[in-house]
Amino acid sequence: MSHLVAPSVLSADFGNLQRDIEMINHSSADWFHVDIMDGVFVPNISFGFPVLKSLQKHAKKPLDVHLMIVDPDRYIRAFKEAGAAVLTVHLEACTHLHRTIQNIKQQGMMAGVALNPHTSVNLLTDVLPDLDLVCLMSVNPGFGGQKFIENTYRKVEQLHAMKKEMGSKALIEIDGGVDFNNYTKLVECGANVLVAGNTVFGASDPSAAITILKNR
Ligand code: DX5
Ligand code: ZN
């Protein structure tokens, strides 16, 4: 399977949200990456359900929702209703991660777990078989446009090896600082989904930027 590209809506122009959604609809992007931040788990607040509802109304591709919030269990059902196809929670934010993953799957969504840059992939040993996606944060979560952390390559390789060993089909997603210089190497190391905010929306031609990220 060739890799997927998921533009991050966080970097869109919220004054022209419908225009930016249509751009993604008509581009070669695969998913919409949607960052939900609560100002507690991360030092920033992004947007909530009203914006997500507008997104759901116009988006013609699956919504890949990345929750950077504490106690995400409270909202699993609400995100299903808001149209999430993939729901990703942070390992660092979940006391009963296994239960949270089961709840997401019971609601009929793909279940993802995100790891901060300091969190070892080894902590996934006991849940990897249950996961549809692992999101490796390649920046500290909270903001778009940050610099890619080089140690991520090693984590992708480690996780790729773990997947093989355990027969896991979980997609490896890379989130943060993905650009034209690192995306090829990330895919070569085993990445399956590339999230890109600044590289897409900071480009003079966002749709062309997506096409570049799709073709290595
Ligand atoms: C960071 C978010 C990312 C962010 C990526 O906390 O989870 O999804 O939007 O943006 P770029 O690609 O600009 O680093
Ligand atoms: Zn994200």
Side-chain angles (χ1 to χ4, degrees):
M1 188 188 90
S2 63
H3 68 279
L4 309 180
V5 171
S8 176
V9 176
L10 186 65
S11 295
D13 176 354
F14 287 88
N16 290 289
L17 188 55
Q18 190 177 351
R19 179 200 65 190
D20 286 356
I21 294 169
E22 296 296 351
M23 181 280 292
I24 296 175
N25 283 340
H26 294 112
S27 76
S28 48
D30 299 278
W31 291 350
F32 285 80
H33 184 79
V34 184
D35 289 309
I36 306 291
M37 304 178 184
D38 66 356
V40 179
F41 181 70
V42 287
N44 193 15
I45 297 175
S46 55
F47 49 80
F49 292 109
V51 172
L52 199 50
K53 291 251 158 69
S54 306
L55 201 58
Q56 183 186 22
K57 196 166 133 198
H58 300 290
K60 296 204 169 68
K61 294 175 180 179
L63 303 186
D64 167 36
V65 178
H66 175 195
L67 299 184
M68 284 157 275
I69 66 174
V70 296
D71 203 3
D73 299 75
R74 294 173 294 167
Y75 297 107
I76 289 173
R77 208 194 162 124
F79 281 106
K80 168 69 183 173
E81 282 162 11
V86 185
L87 195 62
T88 297
V89 296
H90 266 264
L91 178 139
E92 303 86 0
C94 297
T95 310
H96 300 287
L97 183 62
H98 182 270
R99 179 185 288 150
T100 306
I101 293 164
Q102 301 310 321
N103 287 344
I104 294 171
K105 297 213 289 197
Q106 260 162 29
Q107 294 287 331
M109 295 175 282
M110 282 170 70
V113 167
L115 302 184
N116 279 337
H118 74 276
T119 304
S120 167
V121 295
N122 292 324
L123 292 176
L124 292 174
T125 313
D126 294 292
V127 287
L128 193 55
D130 296 305
L131 292 179
D132 299 303
L133 180 143
V134 176
C135 174
L136 296 179
M137 291 306 302
S138 35
V139 298
N140 285 293
F143 305 92
Q146 300 182 82
K147 192 177 173 299
F148 179 81
I149 296 171
E150 299 281 326
N151 183 51
T152 309
Y153 297 120
R154 208 169 56 89
K155 289 176 82 171
V156 183
E157 284 170 349
Q158 280 178 351
L159 183 57
H160 189 64
M162 270 172 78
K163 272 175 58 174
K164 261 200 176 149
E165 201 183 304
M166 301 175 76
S168 154
K169 295 243 166 2
L171 299 172
I172 302 179
E173 178 175 69
I174 311 299
D175 189 6
V178 172
D179 62 23
F180 300 138
N181 298 317
N182 57 29
Y183 79 101
T184 307
K185 186 169 172 189
L186 285 166
V187 173
E188 281 167 6
C189 290
N192 307 110
V193 186
L194 302 175
V195 175
N198 193 48
T199 297
V200 168
F201 290 100
S204 51
D205 185 344
S207 186
I210 293 168
T211 303
I212 294 172
L213 293 173
K214 271 299 280 185
N215 301 307
R216 58 175 167 132

